[in-house]
Amino acid sequence: MANRLDSAGLTFRQDYFDDPTGWAALVCLLKDIFGIDIGPLQQLGGPDPSSMPFGWFDATGELAANISAFALPFVINGRVVHAAGLQSGAVRPQWRGRGLYRDLTVKALDWCEQQGFEAIILYTDKPSLYEPYGFRSIPLHRYEGVAPAPSTSAAPALPLSAANADDLALLQALLKARSPVSTTLSVTANAAMFLINTQLDPDIRVSFLEGERAAIAWKMDAAGRFSLFDVVATEIPTLAAILGGLDIASAHIEVLFRPDKLGWAGDPLPLQSGTTLLLRGLGDMTPHFPAMLSPMADF
């Protein structure tokens, strides 16, 4: 366990995303610690309005330690769960070993309990930090297999860019009305995370299938393998329709969520990743089938 709290020289704050200096301090912290820039999120609609950050600030206004909670409803085994997510957990090196992160974690978990969330999920590369608080790991699986024949009736997809105002408005509308991409394990709302991930990973392409009113997040690697990251739509189109609209004839594909709504069945393979999905709550419930949350649901 961490050392007893030593907050000398620091001030605790929460709910500071409406303060431009507080938000800027978090942007700086994540850039310094992880090398990721979430600053563009302000131009993409801002952080999730349900977000509740917890942090320790030094006398200059620099954020020494942070963790943020937010509403993240998800589906597991067909059941919609009123859940929270935790993210943006970080401590600057010079402030580590003082119990700050343990203190913020307890504060965030207490807040989630007060809000009535029945479960909490997070991604981490240090699961041992959270296991003492009742978190357990959920095995993650992607699906691989032979691609179906692309649908010849699908209209050509249109590229979308969140940097374009009209495209952003369309994406926001689709994300607001989206259905879970899988009945086994998937989020029901993740607008802020989806949008910022289009900026954090320049290799992710987002295309619009107008006939299906669907936004498709995907990649194509140098070897010509197609990877499907997410599908944002009220009615999930088939994989054949997606490939037809994208005009892709890749022989081998992977889907980074359980494809139970895609009209296609690949082979589940354990996800090789440096991060672990953790779940707190719901007893010992786990997905009934191999599955994973779309990578667009995390940053």
Side-chain angles (χ1 to χ4, degrees), residues 16-287:
Y16 40 84
F17 282 176
D18 288 336
D19 172 13
T21 60
W23 171 256
L26 175 64
V27 172
C28 186
L29 174 67
L30 298 184
K31 188 180 296 185
D32 290 347
I33 301 300
F34 301 119
I36 64 172
D37 182 9
I38 64 168
L41 189 56
Q42 286 289 27
Q43 287 72 53
L44 300 175
D48 191 299
S50 70
S51 294
M52 177 59 67
F54 303 83
W56 285 101
F57 289 77
D58 71 11
T60 70
E62 185 174 73
L63 187 54
N66 179 90
I67 193 168
S68 303
F70 62 106
L72 187 62
F74 68 90
V75 170
I76 184 168
N77 301 332
R79 176 190 168 195
V80 178
V81 179
H82 178 53
L86 297 181
Q87 65 183 12
S88 304
V91 183
R92 293 189 178 277
Q94 66 269 32
W95 296 105
R96 292 172 185 167
R98 299 176 60 166
L100 300 175
Y101 195 67
R102 179 173 183 269
D103 173 75
L104 294 180
T105 301
V106 171
K107 285 179 166 65
L109 294 177
D110 286 347
W111 179 83
C112 289
E113 183 175 349
Q114 293 165 13
Q115 301 304 306
F117 291 112
E118 58 181 320
I120 305 171
I121 59 176
L122 65 87
Y123 283 96
T124 180
D125 61 352
K126 298 179 178 65
S128 62
L129 286 179
Y130 303 94
E131 289 166 354
Y133 305 103
F135 284 92
R136 66 187 188 281
S137 63
I138 300 294
L140 301 181
H141 293 78
R142 59 190 179 87
Y143 281 74
E144 280 196 7
V146 177
S151 172
T152 57
S153 62
L158 304 173
L160 295 179
S161 170
N164 176 280
D166 291 338
D167 289 354
L168 176 60
L170 175 58
L171 281 169
Q172 289 171 328
L174 293 171
L175 286 160
K176 185 176 181 179
R178 76 170 302 168
S179 294
V181 75
S182 168
T183 61
T184 297
L185 184 65
S186 59
V187 297
T188 66
N190 67 323
M193 290 182 292
F194 183 99
L195 293 170
I196 192 62
N197 272 304
T198 66
Q199 308 301 301
L200 294 177
D201 188 342
D203 292 329
I204 293 177
R205 308 184 206 182
V206 181
S207 302
F208 180 56
L209 301 183
E210 188 169 12
E212 290 77 12
R213 298 291 298 173
I216 313 300
W218 59 285
K219 282 185 182 181
M220 183 75 81
D221 67 16
R225 185 176 69 168
F226 173 78
S227 296
L228 181 59
F229 279 62
D230 204 356
V231 180
V232 180
T234 303
E235 296 290 336
I236 306 299
T238 65
L239 186 54
I242 291 170
L243 294 175
L246 297 176
D247 192 23
I248 287 176
S250 177
H252 199 77
I253 64 173
E254 70 170 354
V255 176
L256 296 167
F257 52 86
R258 183 171 179 246
D260 50 298
K261 293 187 176 183
L262 295 180
W264 172 85
D267 296 320
L269 297 173
L271 181 70
Q272 303 299 321
S273 173
T275 59
T276 301
L277 177 64
L278 299 183
L279 171 65
R280 184 178 192 255
L282 302 181
D284 58 357
M285 181 182 289
T286 58

